[in-house]
Amino acid sequence: MRPAIFSVCSDPSTLPQWQWFACYLTTGKHLAFYGSFGVVLLLLAITAPAALLFGFGAAASARSHFAPLSWLGKLYIAIVRGVPDIAFFLFFVIALDQGFEWLRHEIKCPDWDQPIRQGNDFVVCPAAKLPLGTAPQWVHETYGFFLAVLTFAIVFGAFAGNVLYGAMRAVPRPQIETAEAYGMSHRQAFWRILVPQMWVYALPGLSNLWMVLIKATPLLFLLGVEDIVYWARELGGSKTARFTDYPHGDWRMWYFLVLLVFYLVFTRLSEMVLTRIMRRLSHGQATAAGEAQRRSAGGPP
Amino acid sequence: MSCWQTVQDYGLRAIGIGERLLPRDDFTLCQQFTLIGSGMMWNIYFGLLALLAGFFLATALAVGKSSRHRLLRKPAEWFIFVFRGSPLFIQFFFAYFLFLSLKGVSPFFDAFTSAWLGALVVLFFNTAAYSGEIFYGALLSIPRGDLEAADAYGFTGWNKFRKITWPTMLRLAWPAYTNEAIFLFHATTLVFFSGFPARQQRGDALYYASYFADKTFNPFIPYPILAMYFILLTLTVVSVFGLINKRLNRHLPTERRRPLRIRPNLLR
């Protein structure tokens, strides 16, 4: 067992209440619980740009003049419409895992003659297992986290693609026509005119998406990552004196209350930051918000 | 075993009627279709009841939030903020453990620890908060001329609200409210993956889909089946709400009617 942080914690049963709590809240498992908040933030930090990238690819390909590419982009965007997202999460985690193993299987064991699906089992050669059976625990955990990030990026990429596609269409048409009149090619007009201008139209949708992404993070638990939900269930459950120095009843309600408050605070903070960004981006834009800013700054009507 | 036999055995399995044991091996396509379809009953039950009850609370919340009295406005604002600002998943967990500890206080809360009531309450509050915000936005965008005309005709108080404000609010909010309904149905899949236990393996569609995916280790069959059911459900919701939308807009000249546009950007 980890040595306690405070030396008084060696015999918790004799402590007065506030000290007991100070000791209880700094046990090794609780430190892991606090660390898992970091996991959530890490997931957000990696997923948000990845999803944006996926979404940008989807939106750009949906606009493509090459029909199959455009269908592919539109299909990707459309497919998340009708189906519950949690089903996607559960589906992709297994499907991606099997996909990777199958690919490695094809490359590493070309002379394997048994079928991959044997009844209810999915069998690949040992060298193709992901992670390898001999890999240490942290590799397994990192791989699980990586799968989760990829799943999030795929699902949210479709959402972001939808937003960006709309934003690209919202950029006034004459802007592109002017660019073409100046002799820019399609590609140039796309990168120099359309992309810089679309963000102000995309931001309301993207900030909505950010909120949604924050609220989707507890689903990490369903993907088998040891996140805050996992630890809250683990630590909150009632403990008897036989297994721990800190016996207590069923406190899961309080742990989940903490999570609830964490998410509320996080959402509120994000809201405040996004409002500021929106104000900055609207500055000087030919939109209603930009116009209102100009008026209030005392510009000519 | 014929497929019809399977339907008889498992068609109502989700509500505890029929064969008690779930299939354990030799899974057929028919079994997967039947059981996942049977689970859809729970999704429809949760979605429909929460939507119906939530509609009224949402109206109250919208009126409360736009009220000038602090005592009415603040609670409505906080209610909407709490339920919109936190993940539904966490709300389910918290509610379940809350009911679990309240159970010790009074036997009245016994029923709340099972999904059919406890999860329904959470979904009801949740959808009320989301729709309340939608209705509030619509309330703010009612054309001032409509209200002035109502005043000029001598409408006041409840009569004015019932005959003028409320129908106009609904008409303006309806496209967004349709989205909310769709995503509420999607959100019902979370119930049996949060704290609420599926007693005797009576679960919803996703519960059975993931059961099959776990047992067969093949996600490519059950999840597309689930997707198909949900797309059907979504289409039904869209067409029903489209009919209501038509009725709400029937007094307007054709060119001012707003068609329904479904914009998917929600997940709780």
Side-chain angles (χ1 to χ4, degrees):
Chain A
M1 202 172 166
R2 266 177 76 103
I5 285 191
F6 303 120
S7 53
V8 286
C9 295
S10 48
D11 187 12
S13 53
T14 58
L15 288 175
Q17 194 156 33
W18 71 269
Q19 276 184 342
W20 188 92
F21 268 107
C23 292
Y24 172 70
L25 291 175
T26 51
T27 56
K29 281 196 167 179
H30 271 86
L31 295 182
F33 173 53
Y34 306 139
S36 63
F37 283 93
V39 172
V40 168
L41 297 181
L42 185 69
L43 174 91
L44 281 171
I46 301 175
T47 314
L52 211 54
L53 212 65
F54 273 68
F56 190 79
S61 75
R63 278 179 62 87
S64 161
H65 291 288
F66 180 55
L69 197 60
S70 148
W71 292 334
L72 195 72
K74 283 184 180 148
L75 183 75
Y76 173 51
I77 293 173
I79 205 144
V80 274
R81 289 189 171 201
V83 185
D85 15 59
I86 171 183
F88 275 103
F89 285 112
L90 295 179
F91 169 78
F92 271 120
V93 160
I94 312 182
L96 283 175
D97 188 33
Q98 291 187 351
F100 288 142
E101 289 198 339
W102 178 78
L103 270 183
R104 280 165 61 94
H105 176 83
E106 292 289 299
I107 295 167
K108 294 207 167 185
C109 322
D111 42 357
W112 189 268
D113 53 354
Q114 289 166 3
I116 287 189
R117 291 204 182 279
Q118 300 176 2
N120 295 335
D121 290 318
F122 181 83
V123 186
V124 291
C125 64
K129 278 250 183 297
L130 254 184
L132 291 171
T134 54
Q137 178 63 20
W138 70 268
V139 175
H140 282 266
E141 280 174 15
T142 313
Y143 179 67
F145 184 74
F146 165 75
L147 274 186
V149 167
L150 200 56
T151 308
F152 267 75
I154 289 175
V155 174
F156 281 91
F159 285 129
N162 192 38
V163 171
L164 292 181
Y165 184 63
M168 284 179 185
R169 294 207 303 186
V171 173
R173 185 80 199 127
Q175 296 277 352
I176 310 224
E177 281 164 7
T178 312
E180 280 167 356
Y182 272 91
M184 287 192 190
S185 66
H186 256 317
R187 181 183 298 261
Q188 280 174 327
F190 178 77
W191 284 108
R192 298 191 190 171
I193 307 296
L194 190 68
V195 173
Q197 288 195 36
M198 73 180 192
W199 296 110
V200 71
Y201 300 100
L203 196 72
L206 288 182
S207 35
N208 189 12
L209 203 60
W210 170 253
M211 300 295 182
V212 168
L213 187 59
I214 292 177
K215 285 188 264 171
T217 48
L219 298 182
L220 266 184
F221 167 70
L222 293 179
L223 309 185
V225 176
E226 293 189 1
D227 74 329
I228 43 182
V229 178
Y230 168 85
W231 281 112
R233 276 164 58 107
E234 191 74 10
L235 294 170
S238 54
K239 307 267 193 309
T240 52
R242 263 179 62 197
F243 298 108
T244 167
D245 294 337
Y246 304 93
H248 60 74
D250 189 351
W251 285 358
R252 285 177 292 187
M253 180 180 117
W254 302 110
Y255 278 89
F256 277 100
L257 189 63
V258 170
L259 295 195
L260 206 67
V261 172
F262 165 73
Y263 276 109
L264 285 177
V265 171
F266 198 17
T267 314
R268 189 81 197 109
L269 281 179
S270 306
E271 242 171 38
M272 280 151 70
V273 171
L274 287 168
T275 318
R276 294 191 74 144
I277 296 181
M278 189 64 204
R279 207 179 303 148
R280 287 200 68 146
L281 271 189
S282 306
H283 190 81
Q285 290 281 346
T287 57
E291 185 64 18
Q293 253 179 32
R294 195 177 64 88
R295 288 250 172 95
S296 68
Chain B
M1 198 161 71
S2 73
C3 189
W4 175 237
Q5 183 63 39
T6 309
V7 173
Q8 283 184 332
D9 282 350
Y10 290 118
L12 296 174
R13 176 63 179 74
I15 49 175
I17 301 172
E19 188 66 34
R20 211 168 64 81
L21 285 176
L22 292 187
R24 290 182 178 275
D25 39 24
D26 299 331
F27 302 95
T28 61
L29 214 54
C30 180
Q31 284 173 339
Q32 308 205 12
F33 266 104
T34 311
L35 262 177
I36 295 174
S38 147
M40 286 301 287
M41 285 191 293
W42 278 112
N43 298 97
I44 293 171
Y45 159 82
F46 282 128
L48 216 56
L49 285 190
L51 204 62
L52 281 178
F55 178 79
F56 294 100
L57 183 57
T59 308
L61 283 171
V63 173
K65 193 171 173 178
S66 59
S67 157
R68 260 175 290 141
H69 296 283
R70 257 182 85 86
L71 277 179
L72 289 176
R73 197 177 67 235
K74 282 291 163 194
E77 276 178 358
W78 271 98
F79 186 92
I80 291 179
F81 171 64
V82 166
F83 280 96
R84 286 184 79 231
S86 60
L88 178 64
F89 198 50
I90 303 286
Q91 290 167 24
F92 274 134
F93 269 117
F94 175 67
Y96 177 65
F97 294 124
L98 177 72
F99 290 141
L100 213 55
S101 46
L102 283 178
K103 202 175 165 180
V105 179
S106 146
F108 170 75
F109 290 101
D110 271 2
F112 283 89
T113 53
S114 41
W116 69 267
L117 186 57
L120 186 63
V121 169
V122 178
L123 281 168
F124 159 55
F125 284 157
N126 191 277
T127 185
Y130 277 89
S131 334
E133 184 68 21
I134 293 172
F135 288 170
Y136 169 71
L139 217 49
L140 291 190
S141 49
I142 293 178
R144 206 171 56 186
D146 288 20
L147 299 177
E148 282 167 359
D151 288 337
Y153 274 96
F155 281 102
T156 48
W158 169 249
N159 217 10
K160 180 181 166 191
F161 178 78
R162 170 71 191 80
K163 298 246 168 68
I164 310 292
T165 316
W166 193 62
T168 313
M169 174 194 91
L170 280 187
R171 179 171 71 79
L172 294 175
W174 208 255
Y177 189 58
T178 309
N179 271 318
E180 162 56 26
I182 294 172
F183 285 96
L184 174 67
F185 277 105
H186 289 187
T188 56
T189 50
L190 277 174
V191 170
F192 291 106
F193 284 85
S194 54
F196 291 98
R199 295 226 166 82
Q200 295 164 350
Q201 296 184 308
R202 299 177 197 173
D204 75 329
L206 187 64
Y207 176 84
Y208 289 125
S210 82
Y211 172 83
F212 282 119
D214 284 350
K215 291 281 178 202
T216 61
F217 211 59
N218 179 2
F220 298 97
I221 295 170
Y223 289 121
I225 294 176
L226 176 85
M228 185 212 70
Y229 278 121
F230 265 96
I231 288 170
L232 283 182
L233 182 63
T234 306
L235 289 178
T236 316
V237 171
V238 170
S239 51
V240 170
F241 273 69
L243 286 180
I244 302 176
N245 189 46
K246 233 182 206 164
R247 192 178 155 76
L248 285 171
N249 283 306
R250 71 191 185 282
H251 59 288
L252 292 178
T254 333
E255 69 273 17
R256 273 184 55 209
R257 290 185 193 169
R258 301 210 279 160
L260 277 185
R261 273 188 67 215
I262 310 306
R263 332 176 90 249
N265 47 15
L266 274 160
L267 173 146
R268 301 155 198 244

